[in-house]
Amino acid sequence: KKQERWFRESLGRGRQKTWQVVAQQVLMSPVRAPDLEPLVDRDGPSMISRDLLDYSIAMSKGNPPLLLDTWDGYAHARQELLSELQEHARNPVILSGDLHTSIAGDLYRDGENDPVAVEFMTTSVTSPGFAEYLPERRPGAVRDATLELNQNLRYMETDRRGWLCMTFTPQECTGEWHLLDGIRSNDNVSTVDRRLTVAAGRVSEGLQES
């Protein structure tokens, strides 16, 4: 409760600023797992054991939450936090990481049609991501199925490594995902894979292509 009170008071003091940026460790957007059975090659190369891969495929049936050690494991607490943002923040932006995956999404309170906040997640520079754990039948299969199932997500890239560049101005907040064409050479080249923007005073419209 002490930490919650500090957070609420900090948001209140921050209302005089254009942006209220919450940097925290794990994915906040709710994400349901796609059925991995048609997407994953059980005999393909993977950084996890065959038993664990089979278990992951079996557990994906019925589209459960993707990972319970993110905010999906604390759904009630997430709703309380989003309520605090809705009440006390002008333009809330969530920054997250940990999954070695590029993700962006609009954050909604349950039962509401307009976003309360937006989320930008950075990937890793070299650490392995989804593709190294889940041997896909075709590149991007898990990404595409996840995006189709989770309409709150605006962007996801599971295969390529890189970093996220955030720019804040009085008018807008922009995230650029710079992704590398490989990680095993000094000559690897980065390109901007996606650029998403949210306008100040229009967070309820969500993330937009820019």
Side-chain angles (χ1 to χ4, degrees), residues 16-108:
Q16 61 184 310
K17 306 295 185 181
T18 301
W19 301 100
Q20 292 75 50
V21 182
V22 181
Q24 49 88 61
Q25 295 94 327
V26 297
L27 180 68
M28 187 172 291
S29 296
V31 181
R32 306 196 74 81
D35 181 358
L36 295 176
E37 184 74 47
L39 308 175
V40 171
D41 177 7
R42 293 176 186 267
D43 297 318
S46 174
M47 296 186 66
I48 61 177
S49 68
R50 175 62 183 268
D51 287 345
L52 183 53
L53 181 60
D54 288 344
Y55 175 79
S56 299
I57 292 172
M59 290 299 293
S60 71
K61 302 296 183 182
N63 308 124
L66 181 66
L67 293 167
L68 292 180
D69 60 351
T70 68
W71 281 85
D72 264 338
Y74 306 88
H76 179 71
R78 177 171 55 201
Q79 288 303 303
E80 288 188 334
L81 176 60
L82 293 177
S83 294
E84 297 284 2
L85 293 175
Q86 188 175 48
E87 182 176 355
H88 299 291
R90 292 173 59 198
N91 297 292
V93 174
I94 308 298
L95 303 182
S96 56
D98 186 57
L99 285 186
H100 305 172
T101 300
S102 302
I103 292 178
D106 298 327
L107 289 161
Y108 299 83

XYZ file of all heavy atoms in Angstrom, residues 16-108:
728
model
N 1.465 17.816 -14.334
C 1.885 19.090 -14.915
C 2.800 18.886 -16.117
O 3.021 19.802 -16.906
C 2.598 19.919 -13.851
C 3.845 19.250 -13.294
C 4.478 20.035 -12.184
O 4.703 21.228 -12.328
N 4.771 19.381 -11.068
N 3.348 17.675 -16.265
C 4.177 17.338 -17.415
C 3.300 16.770 -18.528
O 2.180 16.310 -18.283
C 5.243 16.324 -17.032
C 6.103 16.733 -15.842
C 6.939 17.965 -16.139
C 7.859 18.270 -14.970
N 8.689 19.487 -15.221
N 3.814 16.794 -19.753
C 3.042 16.259 -20.877
C 2.889 14.745 -20.776
O 1.804 14.210 -20.973
C 3.713 16.617 -22.212
O 3.815 18.030 -22.319
C 2.901 16.082 -23.388
N 3.991 14.054 -20.454
C 3.990 12.586 -20.470
C 4.239 12.036 -19.079
O 5.035 12.589 -18.316
C 5.073 12.060 -21.419
C 4.890 12.544 -22.817
C 5.540 13.574 -23.430
C 3.952 12.032 -23.770
N 5.074 13.734 -24.708
C 4.093 12.797 -24.942
C 3.026 11.004 -23.744
C 3.341 12.572 -26.090
C 2.260 10.763 -24.875
C 2.430 11.537 -26.030
N 3.560 10.945 -18.775
C 3.827 10.183 -17.557
C 4.350 8.810 -18.009
O 3.576 7.976 -18.502
C 2.565 10.020 -16.703
C 2.063 11.330 -16.095
C 1.381 12.235 -17.125
O 0.517 11.785 -17.863
N 1.787 13.479 -17.181
N 5.659 8.601 -17.876
C 6.323 7.403 -18.390
C 6.575 6.439 -17.237
O 7.219 6.804 -16.247
C 7.650 7.765 -19.084
C 8.309 6.517 -19.646
C 7.402 8.787 -20.191
N 6.043 5.226 -17.366
C 6.214 4.192 -16.349
C 7.138 3.125 -16.921
O 6.744 2.354 -17.800
C 4.854 3.579 -15.948
C 5.057 2.518 -14.864
C 3.885 4.663 -15.479
N 8.379 3.097 -16.441
C 9.345 2.091 -16.876
C 9.310 0.938 -15.878
O 9.516 1.143 -14.681
C 10.742 2.703 -16.956
N 9.019 -0.258 -16.360
C 8.950 -1.426 -15.489
C 9.385 -2.658 -16.278
O 9.608 -2.587 -17.479
C 7.554 -1.565 -14.877
C 6.391 -1.456 -15.856
C 6.026 -2.791 -16.462
O 5.652 -3.711 -15.747
N 6.140 -2.907 -17.781
N 9.490 -3.810 -15.589
C 10.281 -4.896 -16.145
C 9.571 -5.759 -17.177
O 10.207 -6.239 -18.117
C 10.770 -5.806 -15.008
C 11.722 -5.134 -14.043
C 11.005 -4.547 -12.831
O 9.866 -4.094 -12.922
N 11.675 -4.547 -11.709
N 8.291 -6.046 -17.011
C 7.672 -7.119 -17.784
C 6.469 -6.635 -18.581
O 5.938 -5.548 -18.343
C 7.244 -8.285 -16.862
C 8.458 -8.895 -16.185
C 6.225 -7.831 -15.829
N 6.049 -7.479 -19.517
C 4.940 -7.156 -20.403
C 3.668 -6.878 -19.610
O 3.257 -7.674 -18.770
C 4.706 -8.323 -21.362
C 3.573 -8.167 -22.383
C 3.935 -7.092 -23.400
C 3.313 -9.497 -23.079
N 3.025 -5.743 -19.893
C 1.770 -5.398 -19.234
C 0.564 -5.773 -20.088
O -0.498 -6.117 -19.561
C 1.731 -3.906 -18.901
C 0.529 -3.509 -18.054
S 0.583 -1.798 -17.474
C 1.940 -1.907 -16.307
N 0.681 -5.730 -21.387
C -0.441 -6.040 -22.274
C -0.892 -7.490 -22.086
O -0.062 -8.399 -22.017
C -0.044 -5.849 -23.740
O 0.258 -4.502 -24.019
N -2.205 -7.715 -22.017
C -2.677 -9.099 -22.001
C -2.422 -9.766 -23.349
O -2.715 -9.188 -24.391
C -4.176 -8.955 -21.704
C -4.526 -7.579 -22.160
C -3.305 -6.742 -21.946
N -1.873 -10.976 -23.310
C -1.570 -11.708 -24.538
C -1.979 -13.162 -24.342
O -1.488 -13.839 -23.434
C -0.069 -11.642 -24.901
C 0.192 -12.410 -26.196
C 0.383 -10.194 -25.048
N -2.856 -13.638 -25.220
C -3.246 -15.042 -25.187
C -2.409 -15.805 -26.210
O -2.119 -15.306 -27.293
C -4.738 -15.188 -25.458
C -5.605 -14.355 -24.526
C -7.048 -14.784 -24.530
N -7.250 -16.033 -23.801
C -7.349 -16.111 -22.472
N -7.248 -15.026 -21.727
N -7.549 -17.269 -21.880
N -2.039 -17.005 -25.840
C -1.162 -17.819 -26.689
C -1.946 -18.417 -27.844
O -3.052 -18.929 -27.655
C -0.526 -18.937 -25.867
N -1.388 -18.385 -29.053
C -2.017 -19.107 -30.156
C -1.801 -20.605 -29.993
O -0.902 -21.045 -29.264
C -1.275 -18.575 -31.384
C 0.088 -18.246 -30.871
C -0.112 -17.747 -29.459
N -2.608 -21.384 -30.653
C -2.406 -22.840 -30.684
C -1.105 -23.114 -31.447
O -0.998 -22.837 -32.642
C -3.597 -23.501 -31.377
C -3.474 -25.023 -31.429
O -2.453 -25.564 -30.959
O -4.401 -25.666 -31.965
N -0.115 -23.657 -30.752
C 1.198 -23.853 -31.352
C 1.296 -25.091 -32.242
O 2.249 -25.227 -33.006
C 2.264 -23.948 -30.252
C 2.486 -22.674 -29.409
C 3.499 -22.956 -28.311
C 2.931 -21.511 -30.280
N 0.332 -25.972 -32.152
C 0.404 -27.241 -32.885
C 0.661 -27.054 -34.380
O 1.576 -27.674 -34.940
C -0.880 -28.037 -32.666
C -0.883 -29.421 -33.308
C -0.018 -30.419 -32.560
O -0.123 -30.483 -31.331
O 0.759 -31.143 -33.218
N -0.096 -26.187 -35.079
C 0.154 -26.043 -36.521
C 1.308 -25.094 -36.849
O 1.675 -24.966 -38.012
C -1.170 -25.472 -37.035
C -1.714 -24.694 -35.879
C -1.289 -25.449 -34.645
N 1.879 -24.455 -35.840
C 2.887 -23.421 -36.074
C 4.311 -23.912 -35.863
O 5.248 -23.368 -36.441
C 2.643 -22.225 -35.141
C 1.233 -21.621 -35.139
C 1.155 -20.528 -34.078
C 0.873 -21.081 -36.514
N 4.471 -24.937 -35.026
C 5.800 -25.350 -34.561
C 6.181 -26.715 -35.124
O 5.368 -27.642 -35.165
C 5.826 -25.376 -33.019
C 7.116 -26.009 -32.510
C 5.677 -23.965 -32.470
N 7.432 -26.819 -35.547
C 8.008 -28.084 -36.017
C 8.664 -28.774 -34.823
O 9.728 -28.367 -34.361
C 9.037 -27.795 -37.113
C 9.727 -29.056 -37.604
O 9.326 -30.165 -37.188
O 10.675 -28.930 -38.399
N 8.046 -29.833 -34.324
C 8.554 -30.512 -33.127
C 9.971 -31.043 -33.319
O 10.712 -31.206 -32.343
C 7.629 -31.670 -32.750
C 6.243 -31.268 -32.288
C 5.394 -32.496 -32.052
N 4.007 -32.167 -31.739
C 3.546 -32.026 -30.500
N 4.361 -32.195 -29.473
N 2.270 -31.735 -30.291
N 10.351 -31.328 -34.554
C 11.676 -31.906 -34.822
C 12.703 -30.857 -35.214
O 13.857 -31.194 -35.507
C 11.564 -32.952 -35.936
C 10.666 -34.121 -35.537
O 10.773 -34.565 -34.378
O 9.851 -34.558 -36.376
N 12.299 -29.590 -35.199
C 13.228 -28.533 -35.565
C 14.181 -28.202 -34.425
O 13.971 -28.600 -33.275
N 15.258 -27.465 -34.713
C 16.231 -27.106 -33.670
C 15.615 -26.155 -32.650
O 14.946 -25.191 -33.000
C 17.350 -26.421 -34.467
C 16.674 -25.912 -35.706
C 15.614 -26.907 -36.028
N 15.828 -26.438 -31.365
C 15.260 -25.622 -30.299
C 16.222 -25.565 -29.126
O 16.964 -26.523 -28.874
C 13.917 -26.192 -29.840
O 13.429 -25.492 -28.707
N 16.196 -24.453 -28.395
C 17.031 -24.299 -27.211
C 16.401 -24.943 -25.978
O 16.991 -24.910 -24.898
C 17.315 -22.821 -26.949
C 18.126 -22.144 -28.035
S 18.584 -20.446 -27.623
C 19.696 -20.718 -26.226
N 15.201 -25.492 -26.111
C 14.571 -26.200 -25.006
C 14.449 -27.683 -25.359
O 14.542 -28.061 -26.528
C 13.187 -25.612 -24.660
C 12.237 -25.711 -25.854
C 13.321 -24.176 -24.193
C 10.828 -25.220 -25.555
N 14.238 -28.509 -24.361
C 14.159 -29.959 -24.591
C 12.881 -30.302 -25.354
O 11.911 -29.537 -25.362
C 14.171 -30.693 -23.248
O 12.974 -30.432 -22.518
N 12.882 -31.483 -25.951
C 11.698 -31.945 -26.674
C 10.509 -32.085 -25.719
O 9.378 -31.741 -26.071
C 11.996 -33.272 -27.355
C 10.789 -33.926 -28.039
C 10.215 -33.065 -29.165
N 9.038 -33.673 -29.739
C 9.079 -34.498 -30.809
N 10.231 -34.797 -31.386
N 7.978 -35.009 -31.283
N 10.763 -32.558 -24.513
C 9.672 -32.697 -23.545
C 9.046 -31.343 -23.214
O 7.819 -31.220 -23.141
C 10.181 -33.358 -22.260
C 10.458 -34.843 -22.434
O 9.996 -35.417 -23.447
O 11.135 -35.423 -21.562
N 9.889 -30.329 -23.013
C 9.365 -29.001 -22.695
C 8.651 -28.394 -23.892
O 7.628 -27.716 -23.739
C 10.497 -28.083 -22.230
C 10.086 -26.667 -21.782
C 8.991 -26.720 -20.728
C 11.307 -25.900 -21.275
N 9.163 -28.651 -25.089
C 8.501 -28.160 -26.292
C 7.127 -28.811 -26.440
O 6.130 -28.126 -26.718
C 9.361 -28.445 -27.516
C 8.822 -27.961 -28.864
C 8.638 -26.450 -28.865
C 9.764 -28.393 -29.996
N 7.053 -30.120 -26.220
C 5.763 -30.817 -26.295
C 4.794 -30.284 -25.248
O 3.593 -30.121 -25.508
C 5.965 -32.322 -26.089
C 6.627 -32.998 -27.287
O 6.653 -32.381 -28.369
O 7.126 -34.125 -27.125
N 5.316 -30.005 -24.064
C 4.481 -29.460 -22.993
C 3.937 -28.079 -23.384
O 2.758 -27.776 -23.174
C 5.294 -29.367 -21.708
C 4.559 -28.714 -20.561
C 3.619 -29.415 -19.819
C 4.828 -27.389 -20.217
C 2.948 -28.808 -18.764
C 4.167 -26.776 -19.171
C 3.227 -27.495 -18.441
O 2.570 -26.880 -17.405
N 4.804 -27.242 -23.965
C 4.378 -25.894 -24.376
C 3.282 -25.963 -25.432
O 2.321 -25.187 -25.399
C 5.581 -25.108 -24.908
O 6.574 -24.969 -23.914
N 3.418 -26.885 -26.365
C 2.405 -27.053 -27.405
C 1.085 -27.502 -26.791
O 0.009 -26.968 -27.112
C 2.895 -28.058 -28.464
C 4.081 -27.466 -29.246
C 1.758 -28.419 -29.425
C 4.757 -28.451 -30.171
N 1.158 -28.473 -25.883
C -0.061 -28.964 -25.238
C -0.743 -27.870 -24.428
O -1.977 -27.733 -24.446
C 0.271 -30.157 -24.345
N 0.031 -27.061 -23.731
C -0.533 -26.014 -22.881
C -1.130 -24.865 -23.686
O -1.898 -24.060 -23.151
C 0.542 -25.478 -21.935
C 0.958 -26.464 -20.850
S -0.408 -26.926 -19.771
C -0.727 -25.369 -18.951
N -0.774 -24.748 -24.964
C -1.301 -23.648 -25.779
C -2.726 -23.913 -26.260
O -3.383 -22.992 -26.772
C -0.387 -23.398 -26.979
O -0.477 -24.455 -27.937
N -3.220 -25.129 -26.099
C -4.577 -25.445 -26.525
C -5.576 -24.618 -25.729
O -5.468 -24.501 -24.510
C -4.877 -26.935 -26.327
C -3.936 -27.877 -27.073
C -4.057 -27.710 -28.580
C -3.170 -28.706 -29.314
N -3.241 -28.541 -30.786
N -6.545 -24.037 -26.401
C -7.537 -23.219 -25.718
C -7.130 -21.775 -25.535
O -7.847 -20.997 -24.895
N -5.933 -21.409 -26.034
C -5.465 -20.011 -26.003
C -5.406 -19.425 -24.593
O -6.025 -18.395 -24.300
C -6.349 -19.129 -26.887
C -6.499 -19.664 -28.290
O -7.608 -19.889 -28.768
N -5.389 -19.918 -28.970
N -4.631 -20.026 -23.705
C -4.476 -19.459 -22.359
C -3.584 -18.216 -22.400
O -2.969 -17.928 -23.437
C -3.791 -20.593 -21.601
C -2.943 -21.244 -22.653
C -3.781 -21.203 -23.908
N -3.476 -17.478 -21.281
C -2.489 -16.396 -21.225
C -1.105 -16.914 -21.596
O -0.709 -18.014 -21.188
C -2.556 -15.934 -19.766
C -3.948 -16.272 -19.340
C -4.274 -17.559 -20.052
N -0.392 -16.110 -22.362
C 0.898 -16.560 -22.891
C 1.900 -16.866 -21.780
O 2.559 -17.906 -21.790
C 1.467 -15.490 -23.832
C 2.798 -15.801 -24.507
C 2.653 -16.966 -25.468
C 3.317 -14.568 -25.245
N 2.016 -15.943 -20.815
C 2.991 -16.097 -19.734
C 2.400 -15.555 -18.435
O 1.993 -14.388 -18.377
C 4.292 -15.341 -20.063
C 5.113 -15.874 -21.239
C 6.159 -14.854 -21.639
C 5.776 -17.190 -20.875
N 2.400 -16.367 -17.414
C 1.826 -15.940 -16.137
C 2.835 -15.229 -15.244
O 2.460 -14.749 -14.171
C 1.230 -17.146 -15.403
C -0.003 -17.759 -16.067
C -0.499 -18.949 -15.261
C -1.114 -16.722 -16.241
N 4.103 -15.155 -15.646
C 5.050 -14.366 -14.871
C 5.194 -12.953 -15.436
O 6.163 -12.248 -15.158
C 6.414 -15.061 -14.777
C 7.062 -15.311 -16.135
O 6.384 -15.107 -17.160
O 8.240 -15.713 -16.160
N 4.221 -12.531 -16.235
C 4.061 -11.137 -16.626
C 2.811 -10.610 -15.903
O 2.274 -11.262 -15.012
C 3.903 -10.996 -18.145
O 2.640 -11.567 -18.536
C 5.026 -11.717 -18.881
N 2.298 -9.457 -16.323
C 1.100 -8.907 -15.695
C -0.126 -9.778 -15.947
O -1.144 -9.645 -15.259
C 0.849 -7.477 -16.188
C 1.730 -6.460 -15.514
C 2.997 -6.113 -15.871
C 1.421 -5.669 -14.371
N 3.491 -5.162 -15.026
C 2.539 -4.859 -14.099
C 0.294 -5.564 -13.556
C 2.575 -3.959 -13.045
C 0.326 -4.658 -12.508
C 1.453 -3.878 -12.252
N -0.063 -10.701 -16.909
C -1.172 -11.628 -17.112
C -1.397 -12.520 -15.893
O -2.495 -13.056 -15.706
C -0.923 -12.499 -18.349
C -1.603 -11.949 -19.587
O -2.574 -11.185 -19.445
O -1.166 -12.291 -20.702
N -0.371 -12.698 -15.072
C -0.521 -13.470 -13.851
C -1.101 -12.671 -12.702
O -1.384 -13.217 -11.633
N -1.312 -11.372 -12.928
C -1.802 -10.470 -11.879
C -2.851 -9.540 -12.486
O -2.732 -8.315 -12.444
C -0.633 -9.665 -11.290
C 0.490 -10.559 -10.807
C 1.509 -10.956 -11.674
C 0.507 -11.037 -9.501
C 2.523 -11.802 -11.241
C 1.523 -11.879 -9.060
C 2.521 -12.252 -9.938
O 3.522 -13.086 -9.515
N -3.871 -10.154 -13.053
C -4.852 -9.399 -13.836
C -5.573 -8.356 -12.989
O -5.853 -7.243 -13.462
C -5.862 -10.359 -14.458
N -5.905 -8.689 -11.745
C -6.606 -7.723 -10.889
C -5.709 -6.523 -10.586
O -6.163 -5.374 -10.650
C -7.045 -8.392 -9.588
C -7.742 -7.452 -8.641
N -9.012 -6.965 -8.886
C -7.342 -6.895 -7.465
C -9.369 -6.168 -7.896
N -8.378 -6.091 -7.034
N -4.451 -6.790 -10.286
C -3.516 -5.692 -10.023
C -3.340 -4.826 -11.264
O -3.215 -3.596 -11.162
C -2.169 -6.261 -9.570
N -3.336 -5.439 -12.440
C -3.225 -4.663 -13.679
C -4.410 -3.728 -13.842
O -4.254 -2.558 -14.207
C -3.112 -5.599 -14.877
C -3.075 -4.873 -16.227
C -2.756 -5.820 -17.360
N -3.663 -6.952 -17.400
C -3.390 -8.102 -18.010
N -2.235 -8.272 -18.625
N -4.272 -9.085 -18.019
N -5.620 -4.220 -13.560
C -6.799 -3.369 -13.670
C -6.746 -2.201 -12.683
O -7.134 -1.079 -13.007
C -8.062 -4.201 -13.445
C -8.394 -5.144 -14.584
C -8.545 -4.422 -15.916
O -9.358 -3.510 -16.039
N -7.767 -4.823 -16.903
N -6.254 -2.457 -11.478
C -6.129 -1.382 -10.504
C -5.125 -0.330 -10.981
O -5.361 0.877 -10.849
C -5.698 -1.948 -9.151
C -6.778 -2.739 -8.435
C -6.375 -3.105 -7.027
O -5.158 -3.205 -6.760
O -7.270 -3.275 -6.183
N -4.014 -0.785 -11.551
C -3.012 0.147 -12.056
C -3.571 0.970 -13.211
O -3.376 2.199 -13.275
C -1.767 -0.614 -12.506
C -0.664 0.232 -13.156
C -0.159 1.290 -12.188
C 0.489 -0.658 -13.616
N -4.276 0.330 -14.126
C -4.854 1.064 -15.250
C -5.893 2.070 -14.768
O -6.020 3.163 -15.343
C -5.472 0.089 -16.251
C -4.480 -0.814 -16.998
C -5.223 -1.786 -17.910
C -3.494 0.015 -17.808
N -6.610 1.737 -13.724
C -7.572 2.679 -13.149
C -6.845 3.900 -12.581
O -7.301 5.037 -12.738
C -8.397 2.007 -12.050
O -9.210 0.987 -12.584
N -5.706 3.666 -11.914
C -4.909 4.776 -11.393
C -4.403 5.656 -12.537
O -4.420 6.895 -12.444
C -3.725 4.233 -10.589
C -4.104 3.448 -9.355
C -4.546 4.348 -8.205
O -4.600 5.579 -8.383
O -4.829 3.814 -7.127
N -3.948 5.038 -13.610
C -3.474 5.808 -14.760
C -4.597 6.619 -15.372
O -4.422 7.787 -15.746
C -2.867 4.868 -15.804
C -1.578 4.156 -15.409
C -1.158 3.162 -16.494
C -0.454 5.146 -15.158
N -5.762 6.012 -15.501
C -6.903 6.706 -16.079
C -7.298 7.925 -15.252
O -7.654 8.977 -15.795
C -8.081 5.757 -16.208
C -9.270 6.321 -16.969
C -10.354 5.285 -17.153
O -10.736 4.597 -16.196
N -10.849 5.141 -18.370
N -7.198 7.806 -13.939
C -7.634 8.879 -13.057
C -6.586 9.962 -12.856
O -6.917 11.150 -12.789
C -8.021 8.303 -11.694
C -8.532 9.352 -10.703
C -8.991 8.752 -9.407
O -9.010 7.501 -9.285
O -9.345 9.535 -8.486
N -5.318 9.557 -12.791
C -4.300 10.502 -12.335
C -3.289 10.916 -13.406
O -2.491 11.823 -13.162
C -3.534 9.900 -11.148
C -4.389 9.612 -9.965
N -4.960 10.600 -9.188
C -4.788 8.421 -9.423
C -5.659 10.047 -8.207
N -5.583 8.735 -8.338
N -3.254 10.244 -14.576
C -2.242 10.550 -15.586
C -2.872 11.218 -16.801
O -4.014 10.928 -17.166
C -1.515 9.275 -16.005
N -2.135 12.106 -17.435
C -2.620 12.780 -18.640
C -2.334 11.956 -19.893
O -3.216 11.723 -20.706
C -1.955 14.155 -18.772
C -2.358 15.175 -17.718
C -1.515 16.428 -17.854
N -1.649 17.044 -19.174
C -0.787 17.931 -19.661
N 0.294 18.279 -18.966
N -0.984 18.467 -20.854
N -1.068 11.559 -20.044
C -0.630 10.808 -21.231
C 0.305 9.691 -20.793
O 1.522 9.798 -20.924
C 0.087 11.740 -22.213
C -0.811 12.834 -22.759
O -1.741 12.563 -23.507
N -0.544 14.078 -22.370
N -0.234 8.585 -20.265
C 0.621 7.524 -19.733
C 1.198 6.613 -20.812
O 0.496 6.167 -21.718
C -0.322 6.751 -18.809
C -1.689 6.997 -19.364
C -1.663 8.364 -19.973
N 2.498 6.350 -20.684
C 3.229 5.465 -21.589
C 3.967 4.432 -20.744
O 4.688 4.785 -19.812
C 4.234 6.254 -22.448
C 5.104 5.306 -23.274
C 3.504 7.233 -23.355
N 3.784 3.161 -21.070
C 4.449 2.072 -20.360
C 5.633 1.583 -21.181
O 5.490 1.296 -22.375
C 3.478 0.889 -20.124
C 2.181 1.374 -19.468
C 4.155 -0.178 -19.276
C 2.350 1.997 -18.117
N 6.800 1.481 -20.553
C 7.989 0.914 -21.186
C 8.313 -0.408 -20.494
O 8.339 -0.481 -19.259
C 9.186 1.861 -21.062
C 9.009 3.269 -21.641
C 10.301 4.064 -21.470
C 8.614 3.215 -23.109
N 8.556 -1.453 -21.281
C 8.778 -2.776 -20.696
C 9.815 -3.555 -21.494
O 10.304 -3.099 -22.530
C 7.464 -3.555 -20.612
O 6.860 -3.652 -21.884
N 10.149 -4.754 -20.990
C 11.152 -5.586 -21.653
C 11.040 -7.028 -21.198
O 9.956 -7.520 -20.936
N 12.176 -7.719 -21.112
C 12.338 -9.044 -20.526
C 12.043 -10.202 -21.476
O 12.623 -11.269 -21.324
C 11.474 -9.187 -19.265
C 11.719 -10.489 -18.530
O 12.881 -10.739 -18.161
O 10.764 -11.258 -18.333
N 11.178 -10.052 -22.470
C 10.791 -11.174 -23.320
C 11.693 -11.381 -24.536
O 11.474 -12.311 -25.307
C 9.349 -11.004 -23.820
C 8.227 -11.264 -22.838
C 6.881 -11.195 -23.540
C 8.391 -12.613 -22.166
N 12.693 -10.498 -24.722
C 13.565 -10.589 -25.898
C 12.739 -10.505 -27.178
O 13.061 -11.124 -28.196
C 14.380 -11.901 -25.904
C 15.173 -12.122 -24.663
N 15.835 -13.297 -24.404
C 15.425 -11.319 -23.601
C 16.457 -13.214 -23.239
N 16.211 -12.021 -22.734
N 11.683 -9.706 -27.127
C 10.727 -9.611 -28.239
C 10.261 -8.168 -28.381
O 9.997 -7.506 -27.382
C 9.507 -10.521 -27.980
O 9.956 -11.870 -27.853
C 8.490 -10.429 -29.104
N 10.153 -7.700 -29.603
C 9.612 -6.358 -29.855
C 8.085 -6.422 -29.856
O 7.497 -7.191 -30.622
C 10.100 -5.835 -31.205
O 11.509 -5.788 -31.258
N 7.464 -5.610 -29.006
C 6.004 -5.612 -28.892
C 5.522 -4.195 -28.643
O 6.183 -3.404 -27.965
C 5.530 -6.532 -27.740
C 5.813 -8.000 -28.056
C 4.042 -6.352 -27.455
C 5.416 -8.966 -26.946
N 4.361 -3.866 -29.177
C 3.669 -2.627 -28.833
C 2.185 -2.932 -28.732
O 1.660 -3.784 -29.458
C 3.916 -1.550 -29.892
N 1.513 -2.239 -27.821
C 0.085 -2.498 -27.658
C -0.654 -1.350 -27.009
O -0.056 -0.471 -26.376
N -1.958 -1.359 -27.193
C -2.855 -0.439 -26.508
C -3.390 -1.133 -25.262
O -3.775 -2.309 -25.313
C -4.027 -0.035 -27.414
C -3.571 0.691 -28.670
O -2.555 1.410 -28.602
O -4.230 0.537 -29.716
N -3.423 -0.424 -24.153
C -3.852 -0.984 -22.875
C -5.250 -0.500 -22.520
O -5.486 0.713 -22.437
C -2.869 -0.593 -21.771
C -1.498 -1.283 -21.856
C -0.459 -0.528 -21.039
C -1.603 -2.721 -21.377
N -6.169 -1.434 -22.303
C -7.566 -1.130 -22.015
C -7.933 -1.614 -20.612
O -7.448 -2.655 -20.157
C -8.493 -1.858 -22.992
C -8.316 -1.493 -24.441
C -7.315 -2.088 -25.209
C -9.164 -0.576 -25.061
C -7.157 -1.770 -26.549
C -9.019 -0.264 -26.409
C -8.009 -0.862 -27.143
O -7.858 -0.552 -28.471
